[in-house]
Amino acid sequence: DAGVTQSPTHLIKTRGQHVTLRCSPISGHKSVSWYQQVLGQGPQFIFQYYEKEERGRGNFPDRFSARQFPNYSSELNVNALLLGDSALYLCASSLAGQGGIYGYTFGSGTRLTVV
Amino acid sequence: QKEVEQNSGPLSVPEGAIASLNCTYSDRVSQSFFWYRQYSGKSPELIMSIYSNGDKEDGRFTAQLNKASQYVSLLIRDSQPSDSATYLCAVNPTIKAAGNKLTFGGGTRVLVKP
């Protein structure tokens, strides 16, 4: 079975540009979460989506947005990129309402570099 | 005070010894706790989950939870060089709500020396 898949794996963007990151959850998982991991730190929660609705938002500016599609895949969008947005962006999926019990499965991540 | 705190390490452990990692958390309503292993350049991989006070064992790994003292620990027995990684402690405030999120500590880097 395929795990959580993310694309692209690496991305280089210029300050001020826009980026879209994509995630497909494990088959049967309806919840998708996004995390940002800056080098040397633990992942930080950005968003959670469940059944196409936003169920949680972390302490990130409005430049960050996301959505979930009917097939439960998800996109994370970041506008007006800053150098500080350079990080590993992780997508995690879980069964509906079960993430707190069984944990979350992470994808391999998208490494974003802003220059 | 950070919500989830871990010693950043590195924790240097001889091969075959026990590695002991600690994590403290500030939110008393936290219900579930996870340990993730992250190799350099890779994504986190779930290795243990624990919800009740006491010990939980899985192979060479033992997680220990003490909610009264607000700490959770991870023991790695018979440490192997392949255990060299960063170990992330993650806390979830609730089990049932769909709006779960994980709050991570900064991670402890473990080095197992042959």
Side-chain angles (χ1 to χ4, degrees):
Chain A
D1 285 343
V4 180
T5 57
Q6 292 187 243
S7 63
T9 54
H10 295 85
L11 205 51
I12 299 175
K13 289 286 190 178
T14 304
R15 278 177 297 176
Q17 286 188 315
H18 162 92
V19 68
T20 298
L21 310 180
R22 296 178 174 83
C23 171
S24 293
I26 292 173
S27 178
H29 284 194
K30 299 182 179 180
S31 175
V32 170
S33 299
W34 288 94
Y35 288 80
Q36 180 197 65
Q37 187 175 25
V38 173
L39 195 62
Q41 298 180 19
Q44 275 199 295
F45 174 74
I46 309 175
F47 286 110
Q48 189 202 19
Y49 277 78
Y50 171 57
E51 291 286 9
K52 301 179 289 296
E53 290 187 6
E54 181 183 303
R55 298 301 184 102
R57 174 186 284 254
N59 188 22
F60 280 81
D62 291 344
R63 299 185 296 107
F64 289 76
S65 64
R67 56 179 175 169
Q68 186 177 34
F69 299 99
N71 65 355
Y72 303 109
S73 66
S74 177
E75 281 184 354
L76 176 70
N77 295 283
V78 186
N79 292 323
L81 285 167
L82 304 174
L83 295 179
D85 295 330
S86 296
L88 179 67
Y89 288 84
L90 295 161
C91 174
S93 77
S94 64
L95 291 170
Q98 300 298 307
I101 298 177
Y102 301 116
Y104 296 81
T105 302
F106 284 90
S108 56
T110 294
R111 174 74 61 187
L112 173 65
T113 302
V114 181
V115 297
Chain B
Q1 181 188 9
K2 292 182 180 179
E3 294 181 70
V4 180
E5 295 206 50
Q6 298 180 252
N7 188 319
S8 61
L11 176 65
S12 186
V13 179
E15 184 175 357
I18 296 175
S20 178
L21 292 75
N22 295 315
C23 169
T24 59
Y25 59 95
S26 61
D27 189 347
R28 285 192 171 274
V29 301
S30 299
Q31 297 286 339
S32 49
F33 308 85
F34 305 91
W35 284 99
Y36 283 83
R37 178 176 61 197
Q38 187 173 29
Y39 292 113
S40 181
K42 302 297 184 182
S43 62
E45 172 193 9
L46 180 64
I47 55 173
M48 288 288 289
S49 59
I50 187 167
Y51 323 104
S52 304
N53 282 327
D55 296 357
K56 178 182 178 182
E57 186 175 317
D58 185 0
R60 296 186 296 111
F61 298 101
T62 298
Q64 300 172 317
L65 175 60
N66 185 323
K67 290 186 178 180
S69 300
Q70 295 176 239
Y71 83 78
V72 58
S73 62
L74 179 70
L75 300 177
I76 308 173
R77 291 183 300 280
D78 188 24
S79 296
Q80 301 297 310
S82 59
D83 294 326
S84 297
T86 295
Y87 290 80
L88 297 162
C89 173
V91 174
N92 190 313
T94 178
I95 292 178
K96 295 183 178 179
N100 293 340
K101 72 168 190 176
L102 294 179
T103 300
F104 283 86
T108 297
R109 192 157 69 98
V110 173
L111 295 175
V112 181
K113 297 187 175 181

